[in-house]
Amino acid sequence: MSDPYSSRTPVHEQVVDGFGTVRVLPLDPGADAAVIHRWVGEERAAFWGMTELTEQQVAAVYAHMAALDTHHAHLVVRDGEPVALLQTYEPEADRVSECYDVRPGDIGVHLLLAPAGPGGGQPGWTARLVAVVAAYVLLGLNRRRVVVDPDVRNEKAVARFLGLGFAPGPVVVLPEIDLPDVYLPEKKAQLAFLDRELMFPG
């Protein structure tokens, strides 16, 4: 089976024994909109806040993000199959900065996993994928700490991050953002942090 993503240059590529080759690609808003729209339209992605958007609106959101220097979107591909949407951002340029003391070297991450395949979820699958993402943001981008802010109601995501070694921070209320290009409703979030030393000792 040919890999439709093989011609695209990854920002990070890693071979994981028993898992496959994982590549982190800059998101192409036009080419990737169909895949992302399918994922964000599912009920399980309700906390992503895009369930009602059309494919064209999804493309427009990521075209807007592509014009920013502080927020970046990536498609994570394993052996030619898209498996996650990764967004990274500078916390000081995000509303989360109003809710905690940003440290030098912090990087914010949003991660949306693709739906499980026909065989269902596999034990350890998420942990291995997150380890690759962590290697990219902490080592590849030379950052000290990852910050995540899942909705407190998204108990599955909160439990997943804590289970992967993230340290829980405070529960905060991210303020509403109402701009011409971006609207984000107020969000009660559970902050959690992952230090580079914990993930990659030495």
Side-chain angles (χ1 to χ4, degrees):
M1 189 175 78
S2 65
D3 176 358
Y5 301 98
S6 58
S7 63
R8 288 162 62 172
T9 304
V11 292
H12 182 78
E13 183 168 341
Q14 196 171 327
V15 178
V16 182
D17 284 348
F19 189 66
T21 300
V22 180
R23 303 166 77 229
V24 181
L25 309 172
L27 190 79
D28 181 324
D32 299 329
V35 169
I36 302 303
H37 177 252
R38 195 166 68 242
W39 294 352
V40 299
E42 294 191 349
E43 187 55 40
R44 68 182 191 91
F47 294 108
W48 203 257
M50 298 173 76
T51 47
E52 303 300 317
L53 298 191
T54 65
E55 185 178 319
Q56 289 72 26
Q57 288 170 318
V58 168
V61 166
Y62 287 103
H64 171 74
M65 189 178 294
L68 302 175
D69 293 329
T70 54
H71 292 63
H72 302 282
H74 304 86
L75 190 69
V76 184
V77 177
R78 182 187 75 146
D79 292 342
E81 282 290 315
V83 290
L85 168 62
L86 167 67
Q87 293 175 201
T88 60
Y89 61 91
E90 303 300 335
E92 64 270 21
D94 190 86
R95 61 181 178 167
V96 75
S97 65
E98 298 183 34
C99 302
Y100 89 103
D101 291 328
V102 179
R103 287 190 207 158
D106 279 359
I107 186 166
V109 163
H110 298 302
L111 185 66
L112 178 65
L113 301 176
Q122 299 167 354
W125 192 96
T126 301
R128 287 197 273 189
L129 190 68
V130 168
V132 174
V133 169
Y136 167 56
V137 296
L138 290 170
L139 302 180
L141 298 179
N142 192 28
R143 297 307 181 98
R144 307 298 312 174
R145 186 171 68 155
V146 174
V147 181
V148 294
D149 61 358
D151 192 299
V152 289
R153 296 168 299 168
N154 192 353
E155 295 171 359
K156 194 171 180 181
V158 173
R160 180 187 297 134
F161 283 123
L162 299 183
L164 291 168
F166 280 73
V171 172
V172 298
V173 177
L174 303 183
E176 176 188 62
I177 291 182
D178 193 358
L179 300 171
D181 292 322
V182 181
Y183 175 75
L184 293 170
E186 186 178 270
K187 171 179 157 184
K188 192 174 184 183
Q190 169 69 63
L191 297 187
F193 303 91
L194 182 67
D195 288 306
R196 184 164 82 186
E197 289 73 18
L198 184 75
M199 194 77 184
F200 304 103

